Amino acid sequence: MIRSTFIAGFPGETEAEFEHLLDFMHEAKIDRAGCFAYSAVEGATANNIPGMLPLEVREERRARFMAVAEAVSSQKLQQRVGATMQVLVDSAPALGRKGGTGRSYADAPEIDGVVKLLPPEKISKTLKVGEFTKARIVGTQGHDLIAVPV
């Protein structure tokens, strides 16, 4: 699992350099990537670099980067369909037999997607918040995995 964060629109960044970054993202296949548009920070040396890009360009590049990062992440999540993994249960409705949400070893709370736990099939397994359960990945939805406890 590889996670990283990038800056788009750094002062002096050319379109060719930015395209090189997008090519890198396609090639490196980073599992989870974030990006923010460059913004001046009081006292930062980078504030004095010539070629400050307009805010609109910086934000547009951030959005383009995130579109590529999301596509790469979605493709990688698709590869997990059919696998069984351990999931930490984060939420479960009353009685815990109607599904819930959790996270895998690769998920950071409030940053990444979640594992959506469907009601268990053919078993009366009760999900309890804070406990681990084995779950079979049956699909994906955006940045989330869809799983059935086994």
Side-chain angles (χ1 to χ4, degrees), residues 15-26:
E15 179 64 25
E17 290 168 333
F18 180 71
E19 288 291 334
H20 184 72
L21 174 61
L22 297 182
D23 291 343
F24 167 78
M25 286 299 296
H26 284 292

Side-chain angles (χ1 to χ4, degrees), residues 85 87 100-104 107 113-117 135 137 145-147:
M85 61 188 338
V87 175
T101 62
R103 66 183 107 139
S104 74
D107 300 315
V114 298
V115 178
K116 293 180 180 179
L117 297 163
I137 308 303
L145 294 170
I146 310 299

Side-chain angles (χ1 to χ4, degrees), residues 85-92 95-96 100-104 117 125-135 149:
M85 61 188 338
Q86 189 172 34
V87 175
L88 176 62
V89 178
D90 284 331
S91 71
L95 301 178
T101 62
R103 66 183 107 139
S104 74
L117 297 163
K125 184 171 191 162
T126 300
L127 300 176
K128 294 180 183 170
V129 174
E131 292 186 359
F132 287 98
T133 187
K134 292 280 186 192

Side-chain angles (χ1 to χ4, degrees), residues 42-105:
E42 188 176 331
T45 304
N47 297 341
N48 301 322
I49 297 174
M52 180 67 72
L53 299 172
L55 179 59
E56 303 79 39
V57 172
R58 290 180 270 158
E59 286 296 336
E60 183 267 339
R61 288 184 181 174
R62 184 200 61 77
R64 285 171 47 204
F65 177 95
M66 288 308 300
V68 169
E70 288 174 22
V72 168
S73 180
S74 292
Q75 290 170 353
K76 296 210 57 167
L77 286 177
Q78 285 291 329
Q79 296 172 1
R80 293 188 178 187
V81 173
T84 298
M85 61 188 338
Q86 189 172 34
V87 175
L88 176 62
V89 178
D90 284 331
S91 71
L95 301 178
R97 289 193 177 102
K98 297 181 179 179
T101 62
R103 66 183 107 139
S104 74
Y105 68 92

